[in-house]
Every structure is written in C-alpha cells, then in structure tokens.
C-alpha cells in the first residue's frame, strides 16, 4: 500500500492496488471517501468556448456518471496548443472551462478537476508511449487528417502525436471508463492498443479502458454544414456555444441549414440538418426520436427550430448563471485547480513509477 501526505493541504491518500481508499480534501480539494469505485477519466480542450456538442457528447455524461465512479476531469490545455493559441486567452479559457465543469453540475469536492499542464506525469508518460506507438497507427487517425486540412499552415508534430498524449492521459490513472463523443472512438482504440502492447511486453501495468458513449447526441453536427461535426474552432454560426445568450441561440437555430422538403423525419443520410435538430431535442429533453416525429407530424421547420431553441436555452441557462458566479471568484477556481493538480500528481506516480521500473529507468 502506498501512503502519500500532501503537505499543503494535509490531504492523505492511501492507494492499494487499483483502489483509492481515502482521499480527504480541504475546502477546495477533493474528497473521495472510502470506496472501491472504478476510475473514470475524461478531458476537454480549452481551445475555444465550449459548444453544445461538447456539452451533449461529453460533459452531460460526466454528470450522469459522477456518483458511480471516482472521476478525474481534466482541462487538457497541452492538447489545445496543437493549434496556435493566444496566451492570455488560453489562460482565461482554462479557468472558464474549469468553471463550466462545475457549473454543469460536477462537484469539485468529489471529483478531481485540474489542468493537464500542471501535472508533469502526462508529458512523461507521453514520451514513453511515443516509443511504443507505430507511425503506421498514427497515419490512420482521421482527426489528424481533418486538422491538417483545417490548419495547413501549422502541421506540427504535436498534432500528429496527439493520440499518444491522449493515451497517456487515460492510462496514467489506471482509468476504467472514458466518456467521450463518438469522434474520439479511434483515439480511444489506439490507447487500448498501446496499453495492450505495453502489457504484452512488461506484464499487467495498464488497465485497458472502455469507452462510454451516450445514447443520443454522440455526434452533434454543425448548424451551417450538418455533414460536419459541430466544433468550437469552426465559424460562429456553425455552433452554439455553452455561453451563448438566449437570443443568440434563437438566431443561430433559425439559420440552421435544413433541406428543401417540408417533412420532419429522422434520416441522417437524406435529411442531416433536420435529423441533427431532432437529435439535439431528443438528447436534451429525454424524448425518443419516434415521439418527436409524431409530435411534429404536419408541422413546419420553423416549429422544429423554435422547439430546439427552447430546449437548448432551458438546458444552458442555469449553467450560464452558475458559471457567471464562479468566474467572479477566480481566486477560488485557481486554488481549487492548484490543490487538485497536487493530488493528481501524487496519483500519477503510482503508474508512472511502475512504468519506469519496468522499462529500466529505476
Ligand atoms: N460535435 C460533437 N458532438 C458530440 N461530442 C463532441 N465532442 C466534441 N465535439 C462534439 C466531445 O467533447 C469532448 C471534448 O472535446 P475536445 O474539446 O477535447 O476536442 P474535440 O473533439 O476536437 O472538440 P472540438 O469542439 O471539435 O474542438 P476543436 O474545434 O478545438 O478541435 C470529447 O469527448 C469529444 O468527443
């Protein structure tokens, strides 16, 4: 059993095998009570204002799972710099994202919420895993190809090895479950492959993680081009930001691209715009697509867009309200992030030390 005492917060951490036995935090720190819960890890990049896609595909699911797992929610700022960021804006967005996690219902006293760049284990394990990843595997990653097309003037090595850093994020904590949108399936698969390869050589070091994909809204599409994923780095009218004002949400919904027919039915191939709106309503209002098709029989696209706007506003307004309050106390947010980064660092040593021993660094 490993016992860690973290001097600044007097948090005591007992780790036995794969089980966090007790983590008692201070006001700003986490409290994970004695439990045998499995470990959940996920992250979001502070590369822009979060979108409805990030909310439905990821954050909302974090919320549903936070009681069942020991959760680690990371602000993955190291991933964000694979695309050029303005430093002062990135600094603000890191805090903004931590605040959005909390405002969306993630309890900062129960979950470990911290910034990736404050825990060096991510970068350390990333390097080791780079040496266990084949270029042929990375060449197959579709997100790299998409990002290259979007940023032809900055095709950097970080963009190419992004999936390895993501594997390091996940494997660093013995993660069992990774809730992500379906766009991250390929990256999760490579994380599993790298872990399996490493374990095949050195024995059982890494837990092989499973993905968790919600029932609806695993791929929210762009409002201006419903054949593409909604992305925070896309053009303004293509996404709804989690912090958009209600009138902005209504305007964007009104302009959402549909088709030249009039019938409201779910058909991703023939009617991607209408299907996207139906999926958004279904995900946020907990109604099935079939029920919605019945509800909108004989109605027009204007009705559908109004309903989509209502549902999105109702979901985001309380989050926005809470977010505003949290951002008014940046000192609290920063203290919470600093304390949690210390705890995450201590946690990361367990796997990192094991890896270093196995490969001959210790
Ligand atoms: N459109 C989406 N539908 C469902 N889930 C989505 N996610 C992102 N977009 C959608 C999920 O949100 C989590 C965090 O994503 P991320 O910010 O780390 O990276 P991303 O997938 O590259 O998101 P963006 O918005 O497209 O960012 P940029 O524009 O910076 O590249 C992930 O679980 C993701 O699946």
């Amino acid at each position: 059993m490993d016992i860690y005492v973290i001097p600044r917060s007097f948090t005591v951490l007992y780790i036995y095998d794969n089980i966090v036995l007790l983590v008692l935090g201070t006001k700003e720190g986490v409290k994970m009570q004695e439990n045998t819960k499995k470990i959940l890890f996920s992250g979001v990049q502070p590369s822009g204002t979060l979108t409805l896609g990030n909310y439905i595909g990821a954050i909302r699911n974090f919320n549903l799972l936070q009681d069942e797992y020991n959760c680690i929610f990371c602000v993955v700022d190291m991933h964000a710099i694979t695309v050029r960021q303005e430093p002062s804006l990135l600094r603000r967005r890191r805090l903004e994202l931590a605040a959005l996690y909390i405002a969306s219902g993630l309890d900062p006293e129960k979950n470990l919420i911290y910034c990736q760049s404050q825990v060096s284990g991510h970068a350390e394990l990333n390097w080791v895993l780079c040496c266990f990843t084949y270029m042929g595997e990375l060449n197959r990653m579709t997100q790299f190809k998409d990002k290259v097309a979007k940023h032809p003037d900055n095709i950097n090595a970080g963009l190419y090895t992004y999936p390895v850093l993501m594997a390091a994020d996940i494997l660093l904590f013995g993660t069992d479950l990774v809730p992500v949108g379906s766009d991250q399936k390929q990256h999760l698969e490579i994380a599993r492959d790298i872990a399996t390869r490493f374990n095949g050589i050195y024995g059982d070091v890494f837990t092989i993680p499973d993905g968790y994909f919600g029932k609806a809204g695993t791929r929210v599409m762009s409002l201006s081009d419903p054949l593409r994923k909604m992305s925070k780095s896309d053009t303004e009218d293509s996404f709804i930001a989690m912090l958009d004002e209600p009138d902005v949400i209504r305007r964007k919904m009104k302009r959402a691209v549909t088709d030249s027919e009039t019938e409201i039915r779910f058909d991703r191939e023939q009617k991607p715009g209408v299907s996207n709106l139906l999926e958004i309503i279904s995900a946020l209002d907990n109604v099935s697509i079939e029920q919605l098709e019945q509800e909108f029989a004989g109605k027009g696209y204007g009705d559908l867009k109004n309903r989509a706007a209502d549902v999105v506003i109702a979901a985001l307004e309380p989050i926005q309200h809470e977010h505003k309050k949290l951002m008014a106390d940046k000192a609290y947010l920063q203290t919470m992030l600093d304390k949690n980064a210390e705890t995450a660092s201590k946690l990361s040593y367990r796997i990192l030390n094991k890896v270093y021993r196995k490969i001959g660094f210790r």
Side-chain angles (χ1 to χ4, degrees), residues 109-161:
E109 305 234 345
K110 272 195 338 207
N111 305 299
L112 201 54
I113 297 174
Y114 72 97
C115 284
Q116 185 185 30
S117 62
Q118 287 187 266
V119 177
S120 63
H122 289 275
E124 291 184 58
L125 186 58
N126 170 57
W127 178 249
V128 174
L129 298 185
C130 268
C131 302
F132 288 84
T133 308
Y134 297 115
M135 287 180 64
E137 290 176 299
L138 294 177
N139 288 341
R140 288 198 290 274
M141 295 297 114
T142 54
Q143 195 182 75
F144 174 68
K145 292 174 192 160
D146 292 346
K147 294 236 162 150
V148 164
K150 255 186 179 174
H151 307 280
D153 52 338
N154 182 18
I155 306 172
N156 60 71
L159 206 52
Y160 184 65
T161 57

Side-chain angles (χ1 to χ4, degrees), residues 42-45 47 51 53-54 57-58 76 143 147 150 162 179-184 217-221 229-234:
S42 202
V44 178
Q45 302 181 71
S47 48
T51 70
N54 296 127
V76 288
Q143 195 182 75
K147 294 236 162 150
K150 255 186 179 174
Y162 181 113
V180 278
S182 63
D183 61 310
Q184 295 296 331
T218 60
R219 192 173 171 82
V220 178
M221 307 308 279
K229 184 186 86 141
M230 183 181 281
S231 261
K232 58 176 115 63
S233 53
D234 213 338

Side-chain angles (χ1 to χ4, degrees), residues 7 24 48 90-91 99 107 119 140 159 174 199 203 221 232-233 239 258 260 271 278 283 298 300-301 318 320 326 336:
L24 285 178
L90 180 59
R91 211 167 285 127
D107 185 344
V119 177
R140 288 198 290 274
L159 206 52
N199 285 356
M221 307 308 279
K232 58 176 115 63
S233 53
F239 64 82
T258 46
S260 54
K271 302 172 78 68
L278 285 170
Y301 288 174
Q320 295 173 352
L326 285 159
M336 183 271 299

Side-chain angles (χ1 to χ4, degrees), residues 18 42 53 73 85 178 190 211 239 263 286 303 324 327 335-336 360:
N18 216 13
S42 202
F73 298 119
Q85 305 289 335
V178 187
I190 199 174
F239 64 82
E263 192 191 2
N286 240 337
D303 300 308
K324 206 169 175 181
M327 284 303 282
T335 309
M336 183 271 299

Side-chain angles (χ1 to χ4, degrees), residues 289-308:
I289 298 283
E290 294 72 30
Q291 276 173 291
L292 288 172
E293 284 176 331
Q294 282 171 18
E295 179 186 328
F296 285 105
K299 293 191 177 161
Y301 288 174
D303 300 308
L304 178 68
K305 289 177 174 181
N306 272 336
R307 172 91 145 87

